[in-house]
Amino acid sequence: MTTTTTGLGSAADVLAVLRDLPGVDQVGLEARAAALSTRSIKKGAKRTAIDLAISMVDLTTLEGADTPGKVRSLAAKALRPDPSDPTCPQVAAVCVYPDLVATARAALGAAPVGVASVATAFPSGRAPLDVKITDTEYAVAAGASEIDMVIDRGAFLAGDLLKVAEEIVAVRAACERGDGTHAHLKVILETGELATYDAVRRASWLAMLAGADFIKTSTGKVSPAATLPVTLLMLEAVRDYRDATGRQVGVKPAGGIRTTKDAIKYLVTVNETAGLDWMTPTWFRFGASSLLNDLLMQRQKFETGRYSGPDYVTID
């Protein structure tokens, strides 16, 4: 890699940036995340937060048993999350494997709901680079508006940071379309395998320097997945990166976020850490399909004064 997509310089310059990153104060980070998780919001603001969280969901199915029928059903839910209430916002995107992208795109039609596709040998990332590029190009050609790639954690943990960066640059190039636009690239760090907060900060900056449009915590296939301290750290990284470069990058926690209460904790953390500029689906997403059902039940509670129960929302 001779230059980064942000124009920050050579590979040596990138390594220097990563080397100069300060260490993470683990105690301070976890204390701040714990403090933010205790914040309460007023009832009216909670309703607004629920609608915002719904609009930030990437409705996801990533199972070996996925079928075109299941994807079409998921797309219908994305377009009309609560069939009884047309005022309920649509979700941000439907996320599927590359071979089901065309099905999702056809089911969504011209609706402003994205089609995200995992690629690059998801979830392991263990494949040659040419296979990862082909995987990405296939998904983009089929109609994916977003690509969720996984980094080579083995290379990262072995210290081969340039290999990781070069793969991100190459996949970013594979996201380009013939008309000059590109599918947005969300880079999955798989933070549960990175072991330390210092590694998460370094991986976040590496992904951004290599051209990521979003940085994402997890595949949802490894435990632990998203946590509030890790997401807080990544939000600090995108905030500081924009201050340094002028380029804004999104954040997507994924895996383990199941309740409205959890979602509100994350939204408070976004607002208090990165600020209002990130409080939109353009810059913050939830990778958590089961979360949507709880958000819908809580939303119905505001309308009716009672919980409808899980039987009144569709099962993904």
Side-chain angles (χ1 to χ4, degrees):
M1 183 181 70
T2 57
T3 61
T4 70
T5 60
T6 56
L8 290 184
S10 68
D13 294 331
V14 172
L15 291 177
V17 170
L18 300 179
R19 200 166 45 242
D20 290 342
L21 291 174
V24 178
D25 176 1
Q26 178 177 344
V27 174
L29 178 72
E30 293 177 351
R32 177 160 171 75
L36 289 170
S37 72
T38 65
R39 298 278 181 88
S40 61
I41 61 176
K42 295 179 180 179
K43 186 176 181 180
K46 184 176 180 182
R47 170 58 191 274
T48 300
I50 288 172
D51 278 6
L52 179 59
I54 290 171
S55 75
M56 291 173 164
V57 168
D58 281 358
L59 196 56
T60 303
T61 184
L62 296 171
E63 304 297 334
D66 286 345
T67 64
K70 183 178 181 181
V71 171
R72 284 190 287 269
S73 176
L74 205 68
K77 184 172 182 177
L79 293 171
R80 192 78 177 266
D82 185 349
S84 69
D85 186 353
T87 69
C88 183
Q90 297 176 334
V91 303
V94 171
C95 185
V96 295
Y97 278 114
D99 62 313
L100 290 166
V101 165
T103 300
R105 184 70 277 162
L108 291 169
V113 176
V115 177
S117 178
V118 295
T120 65
F122 178 94
S124 69
R126 310 303 307 181
L129 180 57
D130 59 343
V131 173
K132 295 180 180 182
I133 291 172
T134 299
D135 202 23
T136 302
E137 290 175 340
Y138 176 91
V140 173
S145 55
E146 303 171 8
I147 295 294
D148 288 26
M149 75 165 287
V150 286
I151 67 168
D152 184 336
R153 282 88 73 194
F156 181 88
L157 293 170
D160 195 351
L161 303 185
L162 288 184
K163 178 182 179 183
V164 178
E166 286 166 353
E167 289 201 348
I168 296 170
V169 170
V171 173
R172 173 64 175 73
C175 291
E176 298 287 342
R177 304 187 186 97
D179 62 1
T181 64
H182 74 280
H184 284 187
L185 179 62
K186 304 206 288 288
V187 177
I188 306 170
L189 308 181
E190 199 66 287
T191 55
E193 292 184 341
L194 299 187
T196 69
Y197 291 131
D198 285 342
V200 172
R201 174 175 282 171
R202 194 159 53 249
S204 297
W205 274 82
L206 178 62
M208 293 186 290
L209 288 166
D213 296 300
F214 257 78
I215 50 175
K216 178 178 171 182
T217 61
S218 326
T219 62
K221 307 294 186 181
V222 170
S223 182
T227 68
L228 206 56
V230 160
T231 305
L232 170 58
L233 178 59
M234 292 168 65
L235 287 164
E236 290 175 343
V238 297
R239 178 199 64 200
D240 296 345
Y241 180 79
R242 189 179 72 169
D243 287 345
T245 68
R247 189 171 77 92
Q248 188 161 336
V249 175
V251 175
K252 178 180 173 180
I257 306 170
R258 297 184 175 88
T259 68
T260 300
K261 185 176 181 180
D262 288 338
I264 289 175
K265 290 178 182 179
Y266 279 86
L267 291 179
V268 168
T269 302
V270 175
N271 186 57
E272 293 294 320
T273 306
L276 286 174
D277 287 351
W278 273 267
M279 292 285 283
T280 77
T282 303
W283 300 111
F284 191 79
R285 299 283 184 84
F286 290 107
S289 292
S290 61
L291 169 64
L292 180 58
N293 285 347
D294 192 69
L295 289 166
L296 293 174
M297 287 189 288
Q298 294 292 338
R299 192 177 190 277
Q300 290 167 3
K301 169 70 160 48
F302 273 95
E303 298 299 324
T304 66
R306 63 185 183 277
Y307 289 108
S308 59
D311 292 340
Y312 289 81
V313 292
T314 58
I315 300 173
D316 303 324

